[in-house]
Amino acid sequence: PVVKKSLEVVAAELVAGSFNRYFLQSVEQKILSPDRVSSCMRHIVPGAQGVDIMYSAQKSIAYYHKLMLCGSVWACPVCAVRISEERFKEAKPLIDKWLAERGDIVFGSFTLQHKLSDSLLGLRSTLASAFSNMQQGKGWGLLKKRLGIEGAIGESEVTWGPRFGWHPHKHDLLFLDHRIDDDGLAELNTRCFD
């Protein structure tokens, strides 16, 4: 559903679950070998004399330095979070300025029904197609105009669970030219989720 959330809540949700991300990465490395994800964080950067263990007091986390990263925002759960955090830092000044000077922002989370036997490739393709179809046609154009949707910033994410398997989903921040009321949120939810 489309809801209003604070930026702090959204940021916390993006960085939660690091154990699950590394587990998913190890599973994907076996499935996708010899894809670039299969080498992510498994090889030392060329020319480096070893791996360093670093500590960030600001984030209160330890991390490895001088390991090769795949940089795949679509396939690697570890790199996707790192890239998402960087994109959030880049977008935060825009978000703050928009909220102060222009209008409102709503957060949408989009997914689809799935089961353990569904393939990741098929689910990602179906989700992308459904999202594209949702944003086409006269109905979407009229809704954009009524609600003042001027743009969006989006991220895709994939998780996995033993009960339902792969779970692709998309997160979007919709930028509106005015403050949205409950009726506007209801209309947006109806268009996106009914």
Side-chain angles (χ1 to χ4, degrees):
V2 178
V3 296
K4 292 178 80 167
K5 290 186 179 185
S6 71
L7 295 178
E8 291 77 19
V9 169
V10 173
E13 288 174 353
L14 290 174
V15 298
S18 63
F19 175 79
N20 193 35
R21 288 191 297 272
Y22 284 97
F23 171 74
L24 285 176
Q25 185 192 48
S26 69
V27 171
E28 286 185 17
Q29 287 171 333
K30 293 173 183 145
I31 295 170
L32 299 176
S33 186
D35 187 89
R36 66 184 183 174
V37 176
S38 66
S39 298
C40 188
M41 299 190 71
R42 298 294 189 260
H43 300 283
I44 298 172
V45 171
Q49 297 302 313
V51 176
D52 297 328
I53 299 176
M54 310 295 285
Y55 179 76
S56 169
Q58 181 182 12
K59 294 182 179 181
S60 298
I61 61 168
Y63 60 95
Y64 296 110
H65 184 63
K66 298 183 185 172
L67 284 175
M68 292 175 58
L69 301 172
C70 69
S72 175
V73 72
W74 301 109
C76 180
V78 174
C79 287
V81 168
R82 182 181 50 80
I83 293 166
S84 294
E85 287 174 348
E86 289 303 314
R87 288 181 179 169
F88 179 76
K89 287 179 197 171
E90 293 170 359
K92 186 154 180 6
L94 168 69
I95 291 167
D96 292 342
K97 184 175 175 73
W98 188 272
L99 290 172
E101 299 175 9
R102 295 289 306 272
D104 214 345
I105 298 174
V106 293
F107 174 80
S109 187
F110 306 91
T111 189
L112 65 160
Q113 290 183 350
H114 53 90
K115 56 188 179 296
L116 188 58
S117 61
D118 290 332
S119 76
L120 176 58
L121 185 61
L123 288 171
R124 283 178 39 194
S125 175
T126 301
L127 180 62
S129 178
F131 192 77
S132 176
N133 289 340
M134 179 191 73
Q135 293 185 313
Q136 293 184 9
K138 187 176 179 181
W140 179 256
L142 292 172
L143 182 66
K144 278 180 66 175
K145 188 173 182 175
R146 266 196 311 279
L147 298 182
I149 300 172
E150 292 199 12
I153 296 175
E155 286 285 331
S156 293
E157 184 179 21
V158 176
T159 58
W160 184 88
R163 188 168 174 204
F164 293 107
W166 296 109
H167 175 66
H169 44 288
K170 182 169 176 36
H171 305 293
D172 270 24
L173 295 176
L174 301 176
F175 289 75
L176 312 177
D177 67 5
H178 62 278
R179 298 284 177 218
I180 192 167
D181 59 17
D182 290 341
D183 290 339
L185 278 175
E187 186 176 3
L188 189 55
N189 273 308
T190 297
R191 171 65 188 189
C192 295
F193 301 105
D194 286 349

PDB file of all heavy atoms in Angstrom, residues 132-164:
ATOM      1  N   SER A 132       4.755  -1.399 -15.063  1.00  0.00           N
ATOM      2  CA  SER A 132       4.683  -0.604 -16.295  1.00  0.00           C
ATOM      3  C   SER A 132       3.235  -0.455 -16.760  1.00  0.00           C
ATOM      4  O   SER A 132       2.794   0.642 -17.125  1.00  0.00           O
ATOM      5  CB  SER A 132       5.530  -1.267 -17.382  1.00  0.00           C
ATOM      6  OG  SER A 132       5.414  -0.577 -18.594  1.00  0.00           O
ATOM      7  N   ASN A 133       2.482  -1.556 -16.743  1.00  0.00           N
ATOM      8  CA  ASN A 133       1.074  -1.516 -17.159  1.00  0.00           C
ATOM      9  C   ASN A 133       0.241  -0.602 -16.255  1.00  0.00           C
ATOM     10  O   ASN A 133      -0.665   0.090 -16.724  1.00  0.00           O
ATOM     11  CB  ASN A 133       0.469  -2.916 -17.168  1.00  0.00           C
ATOM     12  CG  ASN A 133       1.012  -3.768 -18.291  1.00  0.00           C
ATOM     13  OD1 ASN A 133       1.546  -3.261 -19.271  1.00  0.00           O
ATOM     14  ND2 ASN A 133       0.899  -5.075 -18.135  1.00  0.00           N
ATOM     15  N   MET A 134       0.549  -0.609 -14.943  1.00  0.00           N
ATOM     16  CA  MET A 134      -0.190   0.230 -14.001  1.00  0.00           C
ATOM     17  C   MET A 134      -0.042   1.713 -14.357  1.00  0.00           C
ATOM     18  O   MET A 134      -0.957   2.497 -14.178  1.00  0.00           O
ATOM     19  CB  MET A 134       0.321  -0.012 -12.577  1.00  0.00           C
ATOM     20  CG  MET A 134      -0.357   0.833 -11.519  1.00  0.00           C
ATOM     21  SD  MET A 134       0.488   0.742  -9.924  1.00  0.00           S
ATOM     22  CE  MET A 134       1.957   1.723 -10.240  1.00  0.00           C
ATOM     23  N   GLN A 135       1.120   2.079 -14.883  1.00  0.00           N
ATOM     24  CA  GLN A 135       1.402   3.486 -15.148  1.00  0.00           C
ATOM     25  C   GLN A 135       1.086   3.892 -16.590  1.00  0.00           C
ATOM     26  O   GLN A 135       1.562   4.928 -17.044  1.00  0.00           O
ATOM     27  CB  GLN A 135       2.866   3.788 -14.840  1.00  0.00           C
ATOM     28  CG  GLN A 135       3.164   3.671 -13.364  1.00  0.00           C
ATOM     29  CD  GLN A 135       4.577   4.076 -13.044  1.00  0.00           C
ATOM     30  OE1 GLN A 135       5.517   3.667 -13.708  1.00  0.00           O
ATOM     31  NE2 GLN A 135       4.736   4.884 -12.014  1.00  0.00           N
ATOM     32  N   GLN A 136       0.315   3.100 -17.282  1.00  0.00           N
ATOM     33  CA  GLN A 136      -0.044   3.447 -18.654  1.00  0.00           C
ATOM     34  C   GLN A 136      -1.542   3.697 -18.743  1.00  0.00           C
ATOM     35  O   GLN A 136      -2.313   3.288 -17.881  1.00  0.00           O
ATOM     36  CB  GLN A 136       0.362   2.320 -19.603  1.00  0.00           C
ATOM     37  CG  GLN A 136       1.864   2.169 -19.704  1.00  0.00           C
ATOM     38  CD  GLN A 136       2.256   1.117 -20.713  1.00  0.00           C
ATOM     39  OE1 GLN A 136       1.434   0.609 -21.449  1.00  0.00           O
ATOM     40  NE2 GLN A 136       3.529   0.787 -20.745  1.00  0.00           N
ATOM     41  N   GLY A 137      -1.930   4.364 -19.789  1.00  0.00           N
ATOM     42  CA  GLY A 137      -3.343   4.577 -20.055  1.00  0.00           C
ATOM     43  C   GLY A 137      -3.869   5.881 -19.506  1.00  0.00           C
ATOM     44  O   GLY A 137      -3.227   6.600 -18.742  1.00  0.00           O
ATOM     45  N   LYS A 138      -5.084   6.171 -19.892  1.00  0.00           N
ATOM     46  CA  LYS A 138      -5.736   7.425 -19.537  1.00  0.00           C
ATOM     47  C   LYS A 138      -5.965   7.536 -18.027  1.00  0.00           C
ATOM     48  O   LYS A 138      -5.823   8.615 -17.447  1.00  0.00           O
ATOM     49  CB  LYS A 138      -7.067   7.528 -20.282  1.00  0.00           C
ATOM     50  CG  LYS A 138      -7.757   8.846 -20.139  1.00  0.00           C
ATOM     51  CD  LYS A 138      -9.013   8.890 -20.983  1.00  0.00           C
ATOM     52  CE  LYS A 138      -9.726  10.226 -20.820  1.00  0.00           C
ATOM     53  NZ  LYS A 138     -10.951  10.286 -21.618  1.00  0.00           N
ATOM     54  N   GLY A 139      -6.325   6.415 -17.381  1.00  0.00           N
ATOM     55  CA  GLY A 139      -6.600   6.434 -15.947  1.00  0.00           C
ATOM     56  C   GLY A 139      -5.412   6.919 -15.128  1.00  0.00           C
ATOM     57  O   GLY A 139      -5.554   7.730 -14.220  1.00  0.00           O
ATOM     58  N   TRP A 140      -4.227   6.412 -15.454  1.00  0.00           N
ATOM     59  CA  TRP A 140      -3.026   6.832 -14.732  1.00  0.00           C
ATOM     60  C   TRP A 140      -2.731   8.305 -15.015  1.00  0.00           C
ATOM     61  O   TRP A 140      -2.378   9.061 -14.101  1.00  0.00           O
ATOM     62  CB  TRP A 140      -1.833   5.957 -15.080  1.00  0.00           C
ATOM     63  CG  TRP A 140      -0.582   6.381 -14.368  1.00  0.00           C
ATOM     64  CD1 TRP A 140       0.472   7.055 -14.898  1.00  0.00           C
ATOM     65  CD2 TRP A 140      -0.266   6.179 -12.990  1.00  0.00           C
ATOM     66  NE1 TRP A 140       1.426   7.284 -13.940  1.00  0.00           N
ATOM     67  CE2 TRP A 140       0.998   6.753 -12.758  1.00  0.00           C
ATOM     68  CE3 TRP A 140      -0.929   5.572 -11.926  1.00  0.00           C
ATOM     69  CZ2 TRP A 140       1.618   6.731 -11.511  1.00  0.00           C
ATOM     70  CZ3 TRP A 140      -0.306   5.556 -10.675  1.00  0.00           C
ATOM     71  CH2 TRP A 140       0.943   6.132 -10.485  1.00  0.00           C
ATOM     72  N   GLY A 141      -2.880   8.716 -16.245  1.00  0.00           N
ATOM     73  CA  GLY A 141      -2.637  10.115 -16.600  1.00  0.00           C
ATOM     74  C   GLY A 141      -3.553  11.059 -15.846  1.00  0.00           C
ATOM     75  O   GLY A 141      -3.117  12.110 -15.352  1.00  0.00           O
ATOM     76  N   LEU A 142      -4.837  10.694 -15.741  1.00  0.00           N
ATOM     77  CA  LEU A 142      -5.791  11.517 -14.992  1.00  0.00           C
ATOM     78  C   LEU A 142      -5.448  11.549 -13.500  1.00  0.00           C
ATOM     79  O   LEU A 142      -5.537  12.591 -12.853  1.00  0.00           O
ATOM     80  CB  LEU A 142      -7.217  11.004 -15.196  1.00  0.00           C
ATOM     81  CG  LEU A 142      -7.798  11.183 -16.602  1.00  0.00           C
ATOM     82  CD1 LEU A 142      -9.136  10.456 -16.716  1.00  0.00           C
ATOM     83  CD2 LEU A 142      -7.956  12.664 -16.934  1.00  0.00           C
ATOM     84  N   LEU A 143      -5.048  10.396 -12.960  1.00  0.00           N
ATOM     85  CA  LEU A 143      -4.668  10.333 -11.549  1.00  0.00           C
ATOM     86  C   LEU A 143      -3.437  11.196 -11.277  1.00  0.00           C
ATOM     87  O   LEU A 143      -3.391  11.935 -10.289  1.00  0.00           O
ATOM     88  CB  LEU A 143      -4.409   8.887 -11.133  1.00  0.00           C
ATOM     89  CG  LEU A 143      -4.036   8.665  -9.670  1.00  0.00           C
ATOM     90  CD1 LEU A 143      -5.212   9.019  -8.761  1.00  0.00           C
ATOM     91  CD2 LEU A 143      -3.600   7.232  -9.448  1.00  0.00           C
ATOM     92  N   LYS A 144      -2.450  11.101 -12.149  1.00  0.00           N
ATOM     93  CA  LYS A 144      -1.247  11.927 -11.996  1.00  0.00           C
ATOM     94  C   LYS A 144      -1.605  13.407 -11.964  1.00  0.00           C
ATOM     95  O   LYS A 144      -1.095  14.165 -11.135  1.00  0.00           O
ATOM     96  CB  LYS A 144      -0.270  11.674 -13.153  1.00  0.00           C
ATOM     97  CG  LYS A 144       0.600  10.462 -12.981  1.00  0.00           C
ATOM     98  CD  LYS A 144       1.540  10.273 -14.144  1.00  0.00           C
ATOM     99  CE  LYS A 144       2.544  11.387 -14.218  1.00  0.00           C
ATOM    100  NZ  LYS A 144       3.548  11.184 -15.272  1.00  0.00           N
ATOM    101  N   LYS A 145      -2.502  13.795 -12.835  1.00  0.00           N
ATOM    102  CA  LYS A 145      -2.905  15.199 -12.900  1.00  0.00           C
ATOM    103  C   LYS A 145      -3.669  15.606 -11.631  1.00  0.00           C
ATOM    104  O   LYS A 145      -3.391  16.649 -11.037  1.00  0.00           O
ATOM    105  CB  LYS A 145      -3.751  15.454 -14.146  1.00  0.00           C
ATOM    106  CG  LYS A 145      -4.059  16.898 -14.388  1.00  0.00           C
ATOM    107  CD  LYS A 145      -4.739  17.087 -15.726  1.00  0.00           C
ATOM    108  CE  LYS A 145      -4.982  18.563 -15.962  1.00  0.00           C
ATOM    109  NZ  LYS A 145      -5.532  18.833 -17.271  1.00  0.00           N
ATOM    110  N   ARG A 146      -4.644  14.780 -11.215  1.00  0.00           N
ATOM    111  CA  ARG A 146      -5.445  15.094 -10.028  1.00  0.00           C
ATOM    112  C   ARG A 146      -4.600  15.180  -8.761  1.00  0.00           C
ATOM    113  O   ARG A 146      -4.797  16.052  -7.927  1.00  0.00           O
ATOM    114  CB  ARG A 146      -6.537  14.043  -9.828  1.00  0.00           C
ATOM    115  CG  ARG A 146      -7.858  14.404 -10.450  1.00  0.00           C
ATOM    116  CD  ARG A 146      -9.007  13.551  -9.932  1.00  0.00           C
ATOM    117  NE  ARG A 146      -8.796  12.122  -9.928  1.00  0.00           N
ATOM    118  CZ  ARG A 146      -8.933  11.318 -10.992  1.00  0.00           C
ATOM    119  NH1 ARG A 146      -9.279  11.820 -12.166  1.00  0.00           N
ATOM    120  NH2 ARG A 146      -8.741  10.019 -10.894  1.00  0.00           N
ATOM    121  N   LEU A 147      -3.675  14.232  -8.606  1.00  0.00           N
ATOM    122  CA  LEU A 147      -2.866  14.192  -7.390  1.00  0.00           C
ATOM    123  C   LEU A 147      -1.606  15.040  -7.489  1.00  0.00           C
ATOM    124  O   LEU A 147      -0.903  15.222  -6.496  1.00  0.00           O
ATOM    125  CB  LEU A 147      -2.489  12.748  -7.045  1.00  0.00           C
ATOM    126  CG  LEU A 147      -3.652  11.815  -6.735  1.00  0.00           C
ATOM    127  CD1 LEU A 147      -3.133  10.434  -6.364  1.00  0.00           C
ATOM    128  CD2 LEU A 147      -4.516  12.367  -5.621  1.00  0.00           C
ATOM    129  N   GLY A 148      -1.306  15.530  -8.686  1.00  0.00           N
ATOM    130  CA  GLY A 148      -0.111  16.353  -8.857  1.00  0.00           C
ATOM    131  C   GLY A 148       1.177  15.552  -8.777  1.00  0.00           C
ATOM    132  O   GLY A 148       2.184  16.038  -8.260  1.00  0.00           O
ATOM    133  N   ILE A 149       1.158  14.321  -9.293  1.00  0.00           N
ATOM    134  CA  ILE A 149       2.373  13.497  -9.290  1.00  0.00           C
ATOM    135  C   ILE A 149       3.321  14.045 -10.344  1.00  0.00           C
ATOM    136  O   ILE A 149       3.038  14.009 -11.532  1.00  0.00           O
ATOM    137  CB  ILE A 149       2.053  12.012  -9.565  1.00  0.00           C
ATOM    138  CG1 ILE A 149       1.113  11.466  -8.503  1.00  0.00           C
ATOM    139  CG2 ILE A 149       3.345  11.191  -9.628  1.00  0.00           C
ATOM    140  CD1 ILE A 149       0.585  10.068  -8.787  1.00  0.00           C
ATOM    141  N   GLU A 150       4.453  14.563  -9.894  1.00  0.00           N
ATOM    142  CA  GLU A 150       5.405  15.173 -10.817  1.00  0.00           C
ATOM    143  C   GLU A 150       6.594  14.283 -11.125  1.00  0.00           C
ATOM    144  O   GLU A 150       7.316  14.535 -12.081  1.00  0.00           O
ATOM    145  CB  GLU A 150       5.860  16.519 -10.259  1.00  0.00           C
ATOM    146  CG  GLU A 150       4.729  17.534 -10.251  1.00  0.00           C
ATOM    147  CD  GLU A 150       5.225  18.957 -10.142  1.00  0.00           C
ATOM    148  OE1 GLU A 150       6.441  19.204 -10.299  1.00  0.00           O
ATOM    149  OE2 GLU A 150       4.382  19.828  -9.911  1.00  0.00           O
ATOM    150  N   GLY A 151       6.836  13.291 -10.324  1.00  0.00           N
ATOM    151  CA  GLY A 151       7.970  12.408 -10.577  1.00  0.00           C
ATOM    152  C   GLY A 151       8.083  11.358  -9.496  1.00  0.00           C
ATOM    153  O   GLY A 151       7.296  11.324  -8.549  1.00  0.00           O
ATOM    154  N   ALA A 152       9.086  10.486  -9.644  1.00  0.00           N
ATOM    155  CA  ALA A 152       9.290   9.404  -8.684  1.00  0.00           C
ATOM    156  C   ALA A 152      10.756   9.001  -8.633  1.00  0.00           C
ATOM    157  O   ALA A 152      11.499   9.193  -9.599  1.00  0.00           O
ATOM    158  CB  ALA A 152       8.434   8.196  -9.057  1.00  0.00           C
ATOM    159  N   ILE A 153      11.135   8.473  -7.507  1.00  0.00           N
ATOM    160  CA  ILE A 153      12.433   7.813  -7.346  1.00  0.00           C
ATOM    161  C   ILE A 153      12.117   6.397  -6.907  1.00  0.00           C
ATOM    162  O   ILE A 153      11.349   6.194  -5.966  1.00  0.00           O
ATOM    163  CB  ILE A 153      13.307   8.500  -6.278  1.00  0.00           C
ATOM    164  CG1 ILE A 153      13.660   9.932  -6.687  1.00  0.00           C
ATOM    165  CG2 ILE A 153      14.583   7.689  -6.032  1.00  0.00           C
ATOM    166  CD1 ILE A 153      14.412  10.686  -5.604  1.00  0.00           C
ATOM    167  N   GLY A 154      12.685   5.405  -7.589  1.00  0.00           N
ATOM    168  CA  GLY A 154      12.350   4.023  -7.268  1.00  0.00           C
ATOM    169  C   GLY A 154      13.560   3.133  -7.073  1.00  0.00           C
ATOM    170  O   GLY A 154      14.638   3.414  -7.580  1.00  0.00           O
ATOM    171  N   GLU A 155      13.358   2.079  -6.308  1.00  0.00           N
ATOM    172  CA  GLU A 155      14.359   1.047  -6.062  1.00  0.00           C
ATOM    173  C   GLU A 155      13.675  -0.308  -6.151  1.00  0.00           C
ATOM    174  O   GLU A 155      12.522  -0.448  -5.737  1.00  0.00           O
ATOM    175  CB  GLU A 155      14.958   1.182  -4.660  1.00  0.00           C
ATOM    176  CG  GLU A 155      15.920   2.322  -4.478  1.00  0.00           C
ATOM    177  CD  GLU A 155      17.268   2.030  -5.111  1.00  0.00           C
ATOM    178  OE1 GLU A 155      17.677   0.860  -5.200  1.00  0.00           O
ATOM    179  OE2 GLU A 155      17.902   3.004  -5.536  1.00  0.00           O
ATOM    180  N   SER A 156      14.382  -1.278  -6.650  1.00  0.00           N
ATOM    181  CA  SER A 156      13.890  -2.656  -6.636  1.00  0.00           C
ATOM    182  C   SER A 156      14.707  -3.455  -5.640  1.00  0.00           C
ATOM    183  O   SER A 156      15.891  -3.183  -5.431  1.00  0.00           O
ATOM    184  CB  SER A 156      14.003  -3.278  -8.022  1.00  0.00           C
ATOM    185  OG  SER A 156      13.123  -2.642  -8.908  1.00  0.00           O
ATOM    186  N   GLU A 157      14.078  -4.440  -5.031  1.00  0.00           N
ATOM    187  CA  GLU A 157      14.741  -5.247  -4.018  1.00  0.00           C
ATOM    188  C   GLU A 157      14.236  -6.682  -4.143  1.00  0.00           C
ATOM    189  O   GLU A 157      13.100  -6.905  -4.542  1.00  0.00           O
ATOM    190  CB  GLU A 157      14.418  -4.678  -2.633  1.00  0.00           C
ATOM    191  CG  GLU A 157      15.117  -5.357  -1.495  1.00  0.00           C
ATOM    192  CD  GLU A 157      14.768  -4.721  -0.155  1.00  0.00           C
ATOM    193  OE1 GLU A 157      13.737  -4.046  -0.035  1.00  0.00           O
ATOM    194  OE2 GLU A 157      15.537  -4.943   0.784  1.00  0.00           O
ATOM    195  N   VAL A 158      15.097  -7.626  -3.809  1.00  0.00           N
ATOM    196  CA  VAL A 158      14.715  -9.038  -3.819  1.00  0.00           C
ATOM    197  C   VAL A 158      15.100  -9.644  -2.479  1.00  0.00           C
ATOM    198  O   VAL A 158      16.224  -9.481  -2.021  1.00  0.00           O
ATOM    199  CB  VAL A 158      15.422  -9.805  -4.960  1.00  0.00           C
ATOM    200  CG1 VAL A 158      15.081 -11.293  -4.889  1.00  0.00           C
ATOM    201  CG2 VAL A 158      15.054  -9.240  -6.311  1.00  0.00           C
ATOM    202  N   THR A 159      14.159 -10.331  -1.846  1.00  0.00           N
ATOM    203  CA  THR A 159      14.449 -11.104  -0.644  1.00  0.00           C
ATOM    204  C   THR A 159      14.036 -12.554  -0.912  1.00  0.00           C
ATOM    205  O   THR A 159      13.469 -12.866  -1.958  1.00  0.00           O
ATOM    206  CB  THR A 159      13.695 -10.546   0.584  1.00  0.00           C
ATOM    207  OG1 THR A 159      12.293 -10.564   0.317  1.00  0.00           O
ATOM    208  CG2 THR A 159      14.147  -9.132   0.905  1.00  0.00           C
ATOM    209  N   TRP A 160      14.340 -13.426   0.029  1.00  0.00           N
ATOM    210  CA  TRP A 160      13.989 -14.827  -0.118  1.00  0.00           C
ATOM    211  C   TRP A 160      13.598 -15.372   1.243  1.00  0.00           C
ATOM    212  O   TRP A 160      14.176 -14.998   2.269  1.00  0.00           O
ATOM    213  CB  TRP A 160      15.164 -15.634  -0.661  1.00  0.00           C
ATOM    214  CG  TRP A 160      14.830 -17.073  -0.931  1.00  0.00           C
ATOM    215  CD1 TRP A 160      14.313 -17.600  -2.076  1.00  0.00           C
ATOM    216  CD2 TRP A 160      14.979 -18.169  -0.024  1.00  0.00           C
ATOM    217  NE1 TRP A 160      14.120 -18.954  -1.940  1.00  0.00           N
ATOM    218  CE2 TRP A 160      14.522 -19.332  -0.682  1.00  0.00           C
ATOM    219  CE3 TRP A 160      15.429 -18.281   1.278  1.00  0.00           C
ATOM    220  CZ2 TRP A 160      14.527 -20.576  -0.094  1.00  0.00           C
ATOM    221  CZ3 TRP A 160      15.427 -19.524   1.884  1.00  0.00           C
ATOM    222  CH2 TRP A 160      14.983 -20.668   1.191  1.00  0.00           C
ATOM    223  N   GLY A 161      12.607 -16.249   1.271  1.00  0.00           N
ATOM    224  CA  GLY A 161      12.194 -16.911   2.505  1.00  0.00           C
ATOM    225  C   GLY A 161      11.887 -18.369   2.237  1.00  0.00           C
ATOM    226  O   GLY A 161      11.510 -18.742   1.121  1.00  0.00           O
ATOM    227  N   PRO A 162      12.055 -19.219   3.240  1.00  0.00           N
ATOM    228  CA  PRO A 162      11.870 -20.661   3.026  1.00  0.00           C
ATOM    229  C   PRO A 162      10.420 -21.058   2.741  1.00  0.00           C
ATOM    230  O   PRO A 162      10.183 -22.108   2.157  1.00  0.00           O
ATOM    231  CB  PRO A 162      12.347 -21.278   4.346  1.00  0.00           C
ATOM    232  CG  PRO A 162      12.263 -20.183   5.346  1.00  0.00           C
ATOM    233  CD  PRO A 162      12.477 -18.901   4.597  1.00  0.00           C
ATOM    234  N   ARG A 163       9.464 -20.238   3.100  1.00  0.00           N
ATOM    235  CA  ARG A 163       8.059 -20.592   2.888  1.00  0.00           C
ATOM    236  C   ARG A 163       7.566 -20.223   1.492  1.00  0.00           C
ATOM    237  O   ARG A 163       6.840 -20.993   0.861  1.00  0.00           O
ATOM    238  CB  ARG A 163       7.199 -19.917   3.947  1.00  0.00           C
ATOM    239  CG  ARG A 163       5.773 -20.374   3.910  1.00  0.00           C
ATOM    240  CD  ARG A 163       5.013 -19.915   5.128  1.00  0.00           C
ATOM    241  NE  ARG A 163       3.610 -20.256   4.992  1.00  0.00           N
ATOM    242  CZ  ARG A 163       2.645 -19.649   5.610  1.00  0.00           C
ATOM    243  NH1 ARG A 163       2.912 -18.666   6.433  1.00  0.00           N
ATOM    244  NH2 ARG A 163       1.396 -20.016   5.436  1.00  0.00           N
ATOM    245  N   PHE A 164       7.945 -19.019   1.004  1.00  0.00           N
ATOM    246  CA  PHE A 164       7.418 -18.541  -0.274  1.00  0.00           C
ATOM    247  C   PHE A 164       8.497 -18.291  -1.321  1.00  0.00           C
ATOM    248  O   PHE A 164       8.190 -17.842  -2.411  1.00  0.00           O
ATOM    249  CB  PHE A 164       6.589 -17.271  -0.069  1.00  0.00           C
ATOM    250  CG  PHE A 164       5.331 -17.518   0.715  1.00  0.00           C
ATOM    251  CD1 PHE A 164       5.220 -17.077   2.016  1.00  0.00           C
ATOM    252  CD2 PHE A 164       4.269 -18.209   0.152  1.00  0.00           C
ATOM    253  CE1 PHE A 164       4.067 -17.309   2.751  1.00  0.00           C
ATOM    254  CE2 PHE A 164       3.110 -18.447   0.870  1.00  0.00           C
ATOM    255  CZ  PHE A 164       3.008 -17.997   2.175  1.00  0.00           C
TER     256      PHE A 164
END
